[in-house]
Amino acid sequence: MSDSTQDSLHANDLLPLVWQTELEDYIIDLQWSADGDFLAAMPAEGSPVVFDPRGSVLGLLKSHEGGNGSLAWHPSKALLATLGQDSLLRIYRPPFDEPAWEVPLPGGAWAERCAWNADGGRLAALAGGSLIILDARRGEIIQQSPLGGTMTDLCWNPARLEELATAGPRGLHFWKADEVAPTGHFPRPTAQKLSWSPDGRWVAIGHLGPDAHLLDRRSGKPLHIQGYTSKVKAFAWESESRWLASAGGENIVIWPLDGPEGPRGAKPIQLSGHFDKIESLDFATGQTVLFSGGRDGLLLIWMPERSTNAGIILRRSDAITQVCFCPAEAELAYGTASGEVGLCASAEK
Amino acid sequence: MPALISPLQPIPVTILTGFLGAGKTTLLNQVLTTQYGSRIAVIENEFGEVGIDHELVIHADEEIFEMNNGCICCTVRGDLIRILGKLRRRRDRFDHVFIETTGLANPGPVLQTFFADDDLREDFQVRSVVTVVDAQHFLQDVRSLEEVGAQVAFADVILINKCDLSGAETQAQVEALLQVINPAAAFMRGSHSRVDIPALLNTRSFDLARLLRRDPGWLEEHQHDHEHDAGDDKKPLHDSSITSVGITSDGEMDGTRLITWLAGVVLAQGADLFRMKGVFALQGDPRKVVIQSVHHVFMNGEQAGEWGEQTRHCSVVFIGRNLDRQQLNADFQNCLV
């Protein structure tokens, strides 16, 4: 296929819609299991649902009273964690009927984020003003750290089992799973969104305003990224950590990170195609193909190494809130503000 | 470029403030029990006996943080960002958001939160700040706590409550002082927080009609602040330095000079400037141009229509501390063409 053909190709030819269904509410989280056998979708309210790749419902999970928070798949097993405003953390395993465990998180606060560490031995949760870390094998809380304010995001270092970061009104904190006090601090109080590079070197931080930081964990130096038109709501890493895609407003900015100093001095690739703010980004597994969903209802595909043109995968009448590429197959799941969940898959499969 | 999805109308927000015991919760209960067709989501700091099971009531922790290090006025409410972020995903379930602040809170951070976050700025519109004042105790409270003055200063609507418990003379003194602090607010009187609820909720972010009213001297008449006496004890009516400067003039302004001036005021004095509200006739522009700010932040422009046959004029009110009336007047005059 020539480049020009590629550029003008209507992307529906690449990833046609295979199935779609409606859940009860705005899709706030959408994730594939590590082997790609299961897709979990979480609406803002109502039952989270586990699908198989053909769209069959495998499990209707318990909704969290007051509203759902987030979900997280174990990095290698079919274990799914959910939490929400009822301050309960639930772990499910196939056949996804009743929770295998249910852990009331201390403090009774809204629980909004959870994440497994790289080997699945630890599960961290943010509940109100506390970071809570569980020993995932025993289902026991091993650490609870008061954070002095409600945290907005957390992520584990994919390359170091015990290290994680949290973002909140007192800035960014780094933690070790077995230590109550933080091991590092980046005092920027408006951090809202975090994403750690697969190689563990970089932490991307989105703020309330139209700027971001990229922290180099190797040198300890922060790089300040400005020029977005709106707050950065989405990050996505290419699987080898060579590219960071970021979206703040209608445009995507891709930073090359393969130089010795990362993005310093490098020219970013800028991609324009959305008409409204971008809500979600994801790279195709092992490729430099990028997907984006926005408030304009467009689900777009980008091949930034070849062209800055976009292909349209889908148009919807409401915002595409989540895009998530399957780690095992050429399959792209999406969720919308009205609760639609669907799958676009390679016709060659 | 064409929009694929029609933008949704912003969700109106009313911020309810007032000192402890002024009657905020009573007013809130009335808002929730008045059947006027709007579904209301309530965010409250204090656990009141709301008891309305068909309404959405959310409790918030008061988590204030600074947007920028070292700038104490650029504070926002982290908890509100989270809660409102969730509400915007459920916008089909309610028509109006009501935020009740604590009695001791300065409403500035609540107000600024709507302008600090892109999503909130886009999806919500602060319709008004409603401040409930206890007519019986206001003169006493305003002397002892600066927050009471700040609550009045930020108000778009002031409900003078508990009028049944205070004499006419006290009410007159209260209103006179309120006019000194915030002459641009709309005033309502009531007892047991009983007011015209639809009128209260539909009052726009400031009483534009009042600001535009061709009432000679309505601004000037309140410029003698700090000169009132509180009656027998001859003390100033309030000890804080919160005051207002109102300026009005027939004619038009040069838009560039006006923006340069206001941006300079907001930048240099934003920490002391609680609110700035103005309606301007700009040279070559048929519209009434509305400009508002909260501390360092300019608020979204309100639509006020065109001047038409009306006499074109410019009016502005500054509410804050340490305002230099003479300088503001001079700068205002300099913008006129």
Side-chain angles (χ1 to χ4, degrees):
Chain A
M1 190 183 301
S2 71
D3 282 2
S4 60
T5 306
Q6 185 87 54
D7 292 348
S8 61
L9 186 67
H10 194 283
N12 269 339
D13 298 337
L14 280 178
L15 289 172
L17 182 64
V18 175
W19 59 263
Q20 67 185 92
T21 188
E22 295 286 335
L23 302 193
E24 295 172 61
D25 205 349
Y26 189 113
I27 303 302
I28 59 170
D29 209 346
L30 184 69
Q31 292 183 30
W32 288 97
S33 62
D35 56 9
D37 286 348
F38 307 108
L39 173 69
M42 176 175 263
E45 280 189 11
S47 295
V49 180
V50 178
F51 298 95
D52 72 11
R54 293 177 301 281
S56 301
V57 173
L58 300 179
L60 278 175
L61 311 184
K62 281 186 175 178
S63 63
H64 288 274
E65 192 178 336
N68 297 315
S70 68
L71 52 79
W73 284 103
H74 187 281
S76 58
K77 298 175 185 172
L79 287 176
L80 177 65
T82 72
L83 47 63
Q85 290 174 217
D86 54 7
S87 203
L88 293 173
L89 172 69
R90 298 187 179 118
I91 310 289
Y92 295 87
R93 59 164 61 102
F96 305 109
D97 44 11
E98 289 297 312
W101 311 325
E102 182 172 277
V103 183
L105 297 172
W110 288 9
E112 298 186 71
R113 290 280 185 278
C114 60
W116 302 81
N117 75 340
D119 73 352
R122 299 276 186 268
L123 179 60
L126 293 177
S130 293
L131 166 66
I132 296 156
I133 299 177
L134 292 95
D135 181 323
R137 296 180 182 89
R138 300 199 306 268
E140 293 174 358
I141 293 172
I142 58 169
Q143 183 195 324
Q144 183 187 355
S145 301
L147 297 169
T150 303
M151 296 292 104
T152 52
D153 204 359
L154 89 165
C155 62
W156 290 90
N157 182 342
R160 294 178 67 177
L161 291 180
E162 299 296 316
E163 188 178 29
L164 75 157
T166 58
R170 295 182 193 280
L172 184 70
H173 287 95
F174 292 95
W175 306 82
K176 284 191 174 171
D178 55 353
E179 295 180 19
V180 174
T183 56
H185 183 217
F186 178 59
R188 175 74 188 251
T190 54
Q192 295 281 297
K193 186 165 191 62
L194 294 179
S195 186
W196 213 314
S197 66
D199 65 0
R201 177 173 174 184
W202 304 97
V203 179
I205 309 161
H207 298 291
L208 261 183
D211 64 333
H213 273 91
L214 200 53
L215 282 184
D216 185 348
R217 295 293 288 158
R218 194 179 294 167
S219 68
K221 290 180 182 170
L223 299 171
H224 193 197
I225 305 171
Q226 294 174 288
Y228 296 101
T229 58
S230 182
K231 74 174 174 181
V232 178
K233 299 179 76 170
F235 291 117
W237 294 95
E238 182 270 336
S239 55
E240 301 296 322
S241 302
R242 291 179 298 143
W243 283 2
L244 167 66
S246 58
E250 300 171 0
N251 299 327
I252 298 168
V253 181
I254 299 181
W255 292 96
L257 297 165
D258 43 5
E261 292 193 74
R264 190 186 295 274
K267 186 179 178 187
I269 301 168
Q270 299 194 54
L271 305 175
S272 301
H274 281 280
F275 304 121
D276 203 342
K277 290 177 187 167
I278 295 164
E279 295 280 329
S280 185
L281 294 172
D282 200 13
F283 275 104
T285 311
Q287 301 177 54
T288 52
V289 177
L290 182 69
F291 301 94
S292 60
R295 292 180 75 161
D296 53 8
L298 289 177
L299 176 52
L300 301 182
I301 181 172
W302 309 84
M303 297 175 185
E305 276 185 320
R306 298 183 180 190
S307 165
T308 55
N309 291 352
I312 299 172
I313 293 180
L314 278 179
R315 291 173 195 263
R316 285 294 177 260
S317 59
D318 53 4
I320 304 282
T321 60
Q322 302 287 326
V323 294
C324 189
F325 197 83
C326 178
E329 302 283 350
E331 296 171 336
L332 179 71
Y334 68 91
T336 74
S338 63
E340 180 179 324
V341 175
L343 185 95
C344 302
S346 167
E348 295 172 8
K349 187 184 173 186
Chain B
M1 287 188 190
L4 298 177
I5 300 174
S6 302
L8 296 167
Q9 289 297 311
I11 303 161
V13 177
T14 299
I15 298 168
L16 177 59
T17 183
F19 194 53
L20 299 167
K24 295 188 299 298
T25 304
T26 308
L27 177 60
L28 183 59
N29 276 315
Q30 294 200 37
V31 169
L32 293 178
T33 52
T34 301
Q35 300 295 324
Y36 66 97
S38 282
R39 298 163 300 164
I40 294 179
V42 178
I43 301 172
E44 58 179 18
N45 280 107
E46 294 161 308
F47 286 75
E49 291 298 320
V50 177
I52 305 297
D53 57 11
H54 65 279
E55 304 289 355
L56 183 57
V57 179
I58 300 166
H59 299 289
D61 296 325
E62 198 173 355
E63 292 178 354
I64 297 174
F65 67 90
E66 295 174 13
M67 278 294 288
N68 301 300
N69 292 337
C71 179
I72 59 166
C73 73
C74 289
T75 49
V76 296
R77 288 270 302 270
D79 54 319
L80 284 182
I81 290 172
R82 290 167 44 247
I83 291 170
L84 290 163
K86 288 183 183 299
L87 284 182
R88 59 182 277 273
R89 295 169 177 164
R90 304 174 191 176
R91 56 186 306 158
D92 56 326
R93 303 186 188 186
F94 57 89
D95 309 304
H96 200 118
V97 175
F98 221 88
I99 301 174
E100 182 188 8
T101 68
T102 62
L104 292 171
N106 174 335
V110 176
L111 198 47
Q112 290 181 161
T113 299
F114 288 91
F115 306 100
D117 183 281
D118 288 338
D119 290 333
L120 303 190
R121 190 167 51 225
E122 203 165 281
D123 292 340
F124 295 91
Q125 182 184 48
V126 178
R127 185 161 280 182
S128 60
V129 178
V130 176
T131 298
V132 185
V133 164
D134 176 348
Q136 194 180 14
H137 297 110
F138 177 71
L139 296 174
Q140 187 180 325
D141 294 339
V142 74
R143 285 181 191 169
S144 53
L145 276 163
E146 183 164 324
E147 283 77 6
V148 177
Q151 289 168 354
V152 172
F154 277 108
D156 300 298
V157 180
I158 297 174
L159 169 60
I160 305 171
N161 195 29
K162 303 189 181 180
C163 288
D164 56 327
L165 301 176
S166 58
E169 190 180 343
T170 305
Q171 285 178 39
Q173 285 183 334
V174 167
E175 185 153 347
L177 178 53
L178 293 171
Q179 296 269 14
V180 167
I181 298 174
N182 189 344
F187 288 83
M188 292 182 169
R189 287 174 184 249
S191 299
H192 307 287
S193 299
R194 276 198 292 270
V195 290
D196 180 346
I197 299 296
L200 179 78
L201 293 183
N202 288 322
T203 300
R204 289 282 172 174
S205 77
F206 66 98
D207 187 354
L208 200 59
R210 179 178 173 78
L211 204 60
L212 286 169
R213 197 170 61 201
R214 306 307 291 141
D215 178 5
W218 78 266
L219 294 168
E220 289 82 353
E221 72 191 40
H222 304 300
Q223 293 185 359
H224 48 290
D225 51 294
H226 292 271
E227 294 166 9
H228 293 271
D229 288 338
D232 296 341
D233 56 6
K234 302 295 180 189
K235 288 180 181 174
L237 278 171
H238 68 128
D239 292 338
S240 90
S241 55
I242 299 171
T243 186
S244 59
V245 173
I247 314 168
T248 187
S249 174
D250 283 349
E252 297 180 331
M253 284 189 165
D254 178 284
T256 306
R257 270 186 271 164
L258 173 68
I259 296 301
T260 304
W261 170 48
L262 293 179
V265 171
V266 166
L267 187 66
Q269 296 176 249
D272 284 336
L273 189 61
F274 291 176
R275 300 287 298 265
M276 181 275 293
K277 311 172 178 187
V279 182
F280 304 91
L282 300 186
Q283 198 172 28
D285 192 333
R287 299 169 302 164
K288 297 168 182 171
V289 176
V290 179
I291 302 178
Q292 294 194 68
S293 73
V294 179
H295 285 310
H296 282 128
V297 182
F298 281 100
M299 299 167 71
N300 291 351
E302 182 154 335
Q303 301 301 316
E306 300 195 351
W307 289 100
E309 297 300 312
Q310 290 176 277
T311 306
R312 292 167 69 85
H313 66 278
C314 300
S315 299
V316 65
V317 179
F318 298 90
I319 304 168
R321 296 189 201 92
N322 309 316
L323 300 176
D324 184 339
R325 185 184 310 282
Q326 202 172 354
Q327 186 64 51
L328 290 170
N329 264 300
D331 291 341
F332 180 94
Q333 298 299 327
N334 186 48
C335 294
L336 290 167
V337 291

